[in-house]
């Protein structure tokens, strides 16, 4: 390629290649400044955005940002691209694509058909030309439905991951957090524990504990221990009750190597989970959404594996990895890595909306850990804003943690009460199967709206009492 140029006033700005152009067009964030790839000024950023708007979408199929020969994620993106699905937008530039996405003629069904024809770089590029409201409007059109024991992602629904972490993996502490979450209507996406130890026997004990709770109370949800994927494979080989396989993933081969994984091991893990056949049958077919992935802008930079790309584009490439393995859930842990990558509340809010937009447009069941670390220039009011915007945008799920404070991972996120707020103010409900269970347990009131029953739920109290009596 001969490069890209745009003139603003009397000055012309030159961009050596598509990788550089994408980085300069990205809204300002700490990680790109740290990597030395950001625009030097707001004027240069605008020039890059205007130049990017004129780039044909087809250019992303011929000019890769990370070398094909040395990166298996690039090979996955290129080799699995669906040219037939891409055909309706193949003639568009990035700017035209933005206008097309925002048009009233484009609906959720159209975007679902298009998803296999889009590459991560295409959706990252168009996101750089969008205001926050544009990201919300388009993401809201996208509906990605996945299933395990319940149905996630339907319109008018907001699910939650019940996250009962404990600094010593204490069973009583974990159980208390699970009970607390269920009483707030949390846990329909997954009950997922970040273990304090990756010790395999301890991981298996936690898996058995969660399986026992779900089975005893017939809760239509699924469990996950967020240990390394190789640990989960070993647990499956030893007969553990594994519902979902977890792994953190990134957008380059080198960054994934930093996580101790590659595409082959993810495929092995998915096959192992499918062999257990623990997912419910839907429409006569066994469920195949058995993976839970987490991502976050900046992970490739922290392992020096970003190839000179901006962090948001590399994040979008992680979604190509996720899409290949048909996950039940994908969670962008948006502010977890720290202010070196997303400095303040404004940058975290923007990144959360970008990630949700890009993932949904690529056909993924996107959730968001609306979070920040204690040394970031952010607070819970910023998280309230992002939570509300994501609820409007049709986010699949958010986190539910006692008091918003993860006492094991030591970061701030959303509480059971925060999820309750989002459901109430936006008229959203849990997954349908989980909602029916909450009503049977008298945790929520029947009828319109999401309203908790007053007092300790009678049916659930009786179920707890019956369980404590034993067989």
């Amino acid at each position: 390629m001969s490069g890209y140029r745009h003139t603003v006033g009397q000055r012309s700005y030159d961009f050596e290649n598509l990788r550089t152009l994408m980085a300069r067009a990205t809204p300002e964030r700490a990680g790109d400044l740290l990597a030395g790839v950001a625009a030097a000024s707001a004027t240069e950023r605008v020039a890059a955005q205007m130049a990017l708007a004129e780039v044909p979408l087809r250019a992303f199929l011929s000019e890769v940002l990370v070398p094909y020969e040395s990166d298996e994620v690039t090979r996955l993106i290129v080799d699995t691209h669906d040219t037939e699905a891409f055909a309706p937008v193949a003639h568009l530039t990035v700017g035209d694509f933005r206008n097309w996405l925002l048009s009233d003629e484009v609906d959720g069904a159209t975007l679902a058909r298009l998803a296999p024809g889009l590459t991560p770089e295409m959706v990252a590029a168009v996101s750089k030309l969008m205001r926050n409201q544009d990201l919300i409007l388009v993401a809201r059109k996208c509906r990605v439905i996945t299933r395990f024991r319940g149905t996630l992602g339907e319109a008018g629904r907001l699910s939650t991951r019940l996250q009962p972490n404990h600094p010593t993996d204490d069973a009583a502490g974990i159980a208390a957090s699970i009970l607390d979450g269920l009483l707030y209507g949390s846990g329909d996406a997954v009950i997922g524990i970040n273990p304090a130890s990756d010790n395999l026997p301890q991981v298996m004990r936690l898996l058995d504990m969660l399986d026992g709770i779900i089975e005893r109370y017939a809760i239509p949800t699924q469990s996950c221990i967020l240990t390394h994927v190789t640990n989960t494979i070993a647990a499956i080989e030893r007969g553990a009750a594994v519902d979902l396989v977890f792994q953190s993933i990134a957008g380059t081969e080198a960054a994934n190597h930093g996580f101790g994984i590659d595409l082959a091991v993810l495929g092995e893990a998915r096959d192992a989970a499918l062999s257990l056949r623990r997912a419910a049958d839907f429409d006569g077919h066994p469920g195949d959404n058995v993976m839970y992935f987490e991502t976050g802008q900046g992970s490739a930079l922290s392992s020096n594996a970003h190839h000179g790309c901006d962090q948001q584009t590399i994040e979008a490439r992680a979604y190509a990895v996720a899409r290949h393995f048909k996950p039940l859930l994908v969670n962008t842990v948006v502010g977890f890595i720290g202010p070196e990558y997303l400095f303040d509340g404004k940058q975290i809010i923007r990144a959360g909306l970008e990630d949700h937009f890009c993932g949904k447009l690529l056909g993924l069941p996107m959730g968001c850990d609306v979070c920040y670390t204690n040394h970031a220039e952010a607070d819970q009011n910023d998280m309230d804003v992002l939570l509300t915007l994501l609820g409007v945008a049709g986010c699949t799920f958010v986190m539910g943690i006692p008091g918003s404070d993860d006492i094991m991972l030591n970061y701030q996120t959303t509480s059971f009460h925060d999820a309750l707020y989002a459901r109430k103010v936006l008229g959203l409900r849990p997954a349908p199967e989980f909602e029916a269970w909450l009503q049977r347990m008298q945790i929520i009131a029947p009828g319109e709206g999401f309203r908790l029953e007053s007092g300790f739920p009678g049916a659930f109290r009786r179920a707890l009492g019956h369980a404590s009596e034993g067989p």
Side-chain angles (χ1 to χ4, degrees), residues 79 196 233 252 332 373 435:
D79 295 349
I233 293 172
T252 68
T332 169
T373 56
E435 181 181 24

Side-chain angles (χ1 to χ4, degrees), residues 285-369:
H285 302 287
D288 63 354
N289 303 133
V290 296
M291 305 297 284
Y292 174 24
F293 295 120
E294 288 193 343
T295 68
Q297 289 192 27
S299 60
L301 174 58
S302 65
S303 59
N304 194 29
H306 59 101
H307 293 270
C309 296
D310 66 273
Q311 65 184 36
Q312 189 253 338
T313 297
I314 294 296
E315 169 73 3
R317 284 169 53 94
Y319 304 153
V321 176
R323 179 170 64 176
H324 185 64
F325 295 101
K326 301 180 180 179
L328 180 77
L329 306 165
V330 179
N331 178 31
T332 169
V333 192
V334 65
F336 182 74
I337 301 181
E340 300 86 350
Y341 306 97
L342 296 170
F343 179 72
D344 56 15
K346 181 177 181 179
Q347 292 187 11
I348 292 171
I349 289 167
R350 173 69 190 190
L353 295 177
E354 288 170 346
D355 295 350
H356 179 252
F357 164 87
C358 290
K360 291 289 280 295
L361 204 54
L362 289 168
L364 288 175
M366 288 301 297
C368 183
D369 192 339

Side-chain angles (χ1 to χ4, degrees), residues 266-442:
L266 294 178
E268 179 186 350
R270 183 172 186 269
D271 289 344
L274 287 172
S275 72
L276 300 179
R277 297 181 64 88
R278 293 177 62 83
D281 286 0
F282 289 90
D283 302 322
H285 302 287
D288 63 354
N289 303 133
V290 296
M291 305 297 284
Y292 174 24
F293 295 120
E294 288 193 343
T295 68
Q297 289 192 27
S299 60
L301 174 58
S302 65
S303 59
N304 194 29
H306 59 101
H307 293 270
C309 296
D310 66 273
Q311 65 184 36
Q312 189 253 338
T313 297
I314 294 296
E315 169 73 3
R317 284 169 53 94
Y319 304 153
V321 176
R323 179 170 64 176
H324 185 64
F325 295 101
K326 301 180 180 179
L328 180 77
L329 306 165
V330 179
N331 178 31
T332 169
V333 192
V334 65
F336 182 74
I337 301 181
E340 300 86 350
Y341 306 97
L342 296 170
F343 179 72
D344 56 15
K346 181 177 181 179
Q347 292 187 11
I348 292 171
I349 289 167
R350 173 69 190 190
L353 295 177
E354 288 170 346
D355 295 350
H356 179 252
F357 164 87
C358 290
K360 291 289 280 295
L361 204 54
L362 289 168
L364 288 175
M366 288 301 297
C368 183
D369 192 339
V370 180
C371 65
Y372 63 101
T373 56
N374 289 311
H375 59 308
E377 293 294 320
D379 60 26
Q380 212 64 38
N381 288 323
D382 296 314
M383 300 306 102
D384 288 348
V385 171
L386 179 53
L387 172 63
T388 305
L389 294 177
L390 286 169
V392 173
C395 187
T396 299
F397 71 105
V398 295
M399 303 301 108
I401 294 179
S404 304
D405 183 11
D406 192 301
I407 58 175
M408 197 280 284
L409 294 174
N410 196 29
Y411 77 116
Q412 309 303 312
T413 180
T414 47
S415 69
F416 305 136
H417 188 270
D418 294 332
L420 182 63
Y421 146 79
R423 284 171 172 167
K424 283 186 173 182
V425 76
L426 298 173
L428 302 171
R429 307 168 78 94
E433 299 86 352
F434 192 78
E435 181 181 24
W437 180 83
L438 291 172
Q439 290 180 350
R440 287 197 303 273
M441 293 293 105
Q442 297 179 321

Side-chain angles (χ1 to χ4, degrees), residues 95 107 122 125 146 201 210 242 247 281 286 314 317 320 349 394 432 438 468:
D107 58 13
M122 293 175 190
T146 57
L210 293 186
V242 172
Q247 183 55 48
D281 286 0
I314 294 296
R317 284 169 53 94
I349 289 167
L438 291 172
S468 66

